[in-house]
Amino acid sequence: PQRALHRVVAAHLWVMSMAVSRASSCCVLPRLITAQPRPRRLHTNNHVRRDFGLGRKTTKPTLTLRAAASTSSQMGAGGPIAGAVVVADTARVASSGAEIPLLGLGTWKLPKADTAALVCAAITRGWRHIDCACDYGNEAEVGAGIRAALDAGVCTREELWVTSKLWNTYHAPEHVRAACAKSLEDLGLQYLDLYHVHFPISLKYVPFEQRYPPEWVHDPAGPNPVMVYAPVPIAQTWGAMEALVDEGLVKHIGVCNFGVSLLTDLMASARIPPAVLQIESHPYLCQDFLVQWAQQHGVHVTCFSPLGSASYVEMGWTKPTEGAIHEGCVQEAAAAHGATPGQVLLRWGTQRGCSLIPKTSRPERLEENIGIFAKENTFTLSAAEMAAISALDRNKRYNDPAEFCKGMGGPCPIYN
């Protein structure tokens, strides 16, 4: 199965490269791996995968990167040209001192058929932060992309930051470890850099063999397909999350979609406080007070949907013409700095001290997005430009279970 996944990765890298080569004169993606400096020394060791109690142990040879030279960046219009590697700046996680890359690849809604190749291409281009989740249904494909990049000697596992998330149906303490182990197994990893509680919503347990990922509705085939809640206190879930850190399965634990009241209550009893808070944030939903509160209390903030509405058009939750990317102040800043409007929005987010996880299924966007960290293209928004973009705030939330859960027995207004 692993070799088959590698063949899939290679095939999709070729297809994606053809799209890029037709769109521009840049080098095609299959050359990206060969364009990397060859490691000076590789050695093979027999690595025993832990089965985490889910299956038998397997032994397979792996390649470990001993040393590699760096690659300098070259710039073209709107970003680095092919052959250049740009690695994102990092922020320090207060609870551990670890460095989290400020730009991560979001994998929500990535088509399974394209995921492995896109992840491999992203890592090859310098992306070192990958954001995953059980609920996204593509962790096995993400893992295949990671493994292809590691096997090619692009980087080491220790240079990556991989995040996953505990789904709502696994909040009971007896299910937390198994859920984490399932994500690790699918990703083909020994540990996660960060494991989040995905939502402050506890739903009735669904066994892996019954349905995985279980999604929101408890019984989709039933006469009344709705969510079924489970009364699990978040403190109990968190205790099981802390045990994952103790065991070495995860390095950090965090929460998504929490507000100050939930964070305050959690931190009052937590033995290991949340290291990271992941929230929706973009110019239409700045959430400045929440961001400031978290940062003041030593919790790093990661923002999903940092470009705003683009991810929600295909779901019918917004219109193609809506979005901060079209705003005059964003367009003006892009023209002033020789950047794209998307790069301006990403720079606005990172200047707030947040890490961002934009999602794209287009290889050329990988280069555009990470291009904000290329030395030849570095720019800083002025205080006036930052203020103008922040003034676009209209408390517009796109990903809200108060809205999308209405047809599933909701609403579920966790932000009220």
Side-chain angles (χ1 to χ4, degrees):
Q2 196 72 22
R3 291 179 180 176
L5 282 172
H6 284 188
R7 287 195 294 271
V8 171
V9 171
H12 281 283
L13 277 171
W14 184 86
V15 172
M16 291 162 65
S17 73
M18 293 301 99
V20 174
S21 63
R22 285 193 297 267
S24 70
S25 60
C26 295
C27 300
V28 296
L29 281 174
R31 296 179 58 189
L32 294 179
I33 291 178
T34 58
Q36 303 299 312
R38 291 184 179 275
R40 288 193 293 271
R41 181 182 176 190
L42 291 171
H43 81 278
T44 303
N45 66 322
N46 287 327
H47 177 66
V48 180
R49 290 185 57 192
R50 286 185 290 173
D51 65 352
F52 306 108
L54 293 180
R56 65 180 185 274
K57 292 182 180 179
T58 59
T59 302
K60 63 177 184 178
T62 60
L63 289 177
T64 304
L65 185 63
R66 285 295 198 189
S70 60
T71 301
S72 61
S73 301
Q74 296 174 290
M75 290 302 301
I81 65 173
V85 175
V86 178
V87 178
D89 292 344
T90 61
R92 187 173 296 276
V93 177
S95 63
S96 68
E99 298 288 335
I100 180 172
L102 287 176
L103 208 60
L105 178 67
T107 60
W108 180 51
K109 296 199 297 86
L110 284 184
K112 278 191 175 185
D114 301 332
T115 297
L118 192 76
V119 169
C120 183
I123 297 172
T124 302
R125 300 305 304 130
W127 293 70
R128 296 294 180 261
H129 179 176
I130 310 295
D131 183 82
C132 322
C134 151
D135 186 55
Y136 302 165
N138 57 7
E139 287 192 319
E141 289 73 21
V142 170
I146 292 173
R147 177 53 51 196
L150 296 181
D151 287 349
V154 174
C155 66
T156 66
R157 168 64 183 95
E158 291 72 25
E159 293 176 283
L160 295 177
W161 180 287
V162 182
T163 297
S164 188
K165 306 178 187 74
L166 177 77
W167 186 239
N168 304 341
T169 53
Y170 308 129
H171 278 208
E174 63 268 24
H175 301 312
V176 170
R177 186 187 185 281
C180 178
K182 178 73 167 96
S183 285
L184 285 169
E185 184 179 61
D186 286 348
L187 290 166
L189 301 177
Q190 295 296 303
Y191 67 90
L192 294 169
D193 297 274
L194 175 62
Y195 196 47
H196 279 304
V197 175
H198 204 150
F199 281 96
I201 302 170
S202 179
L203 299 178
K204 187 176 179 180
Y205 175 65
V206 177
F208 297 155
E209 60 273 15
Q210 180 177 327
R211 190 172 67 254
Y212 189 88
E215 301 181 329
W216 291 84
V217 173
H218 183 69
D219 184 7
N224 186 29
V226 296
M227 298 180 296
V228 178
Y229 294 97
V232 181
I234 192 64
Q236 291 185 12
T237 304
W238 195 252
M241 296 282 285
E242 291 172 327
L244 299 177
V245 179
D246 297 336
E247 192 177 347
L249 298 181
V250 305
K251 291 190 173 183
H252 304 85
I253 47 179
V255 293
C256 303
N257 305 299
F258 275 45
V260 169
S261 58
L262 278 174
L263 279 168
T264 302
D265 185 63
L266 174 60
M267 294 172 72
S269 61
R271 176 171 58 88
I272 302 175
V276 180
L277 167 67
Q278 187 177 125
I279 56 172
E280 178 183 348
S281 185
H282 42 76
Y284 286 174
L285 184 69
C286 295
Q287 302 211 72
D288 278 338
F289 291 150
L290 177 55
V291 170
Q292 292 168 15
W293 186 94
Q295 291 172 341
Q296 289 169 359
H297 288 78
V299 181
H300 176 75
V301 177
T302 296
C303 304
F304 69 82
S305 301
L307 299 176
S309 62
S311 295
Y312 304 98
V313 173
E314 65 187 73
M315 305 171 75
W317 295 358
T318 186
K319 299 176 181 178
T321 54
E322 181 181 334
I325 203 167
H326 303 294
E327 296 285 352
C329 61
V330 176
Q331 298 279 338
E332 291 169 9
H337 295 286
T340 67
Q343 288 176 324
V344 168
L345 294 185
L346 295 177
R347 177 54 69 192
W348 173 83
T350 59
Q351 282 186 219
R352 299 168 75 208
C354 302
S355 55
L356 316 175
I357 45 172
K359 187 221 80 173
T360 182
S361 56
R362 297 167 58 184
E364 64 270 24
R365 289 284 188 235
L366 294 175
E367 304 209 18
E368 176 185 327
N369 291 345
I370 206 166
I372 66 171
F373 296 107
K375 291 180 180 179
E376 297 84 349
N377 198 42
T378 298
F379 64 94
T380 301
L381 297 175
S382 68
E385 290 170 327
M386 289 290 292
I389 296 173
S390 295
L392 298 173
D393 192 9
R394 57 187 69 174
N395 200 33
K396 172 63 176 177
R397 191 183 302 276
Y398 293 102
N399 196 321
D400 189 352
E403 295 293 337
F404 66 72
C405 286
K406 285 180 179 178
M408 299 181 285
C412 192
I414 61 174
Y415 302 116
N416 288 18

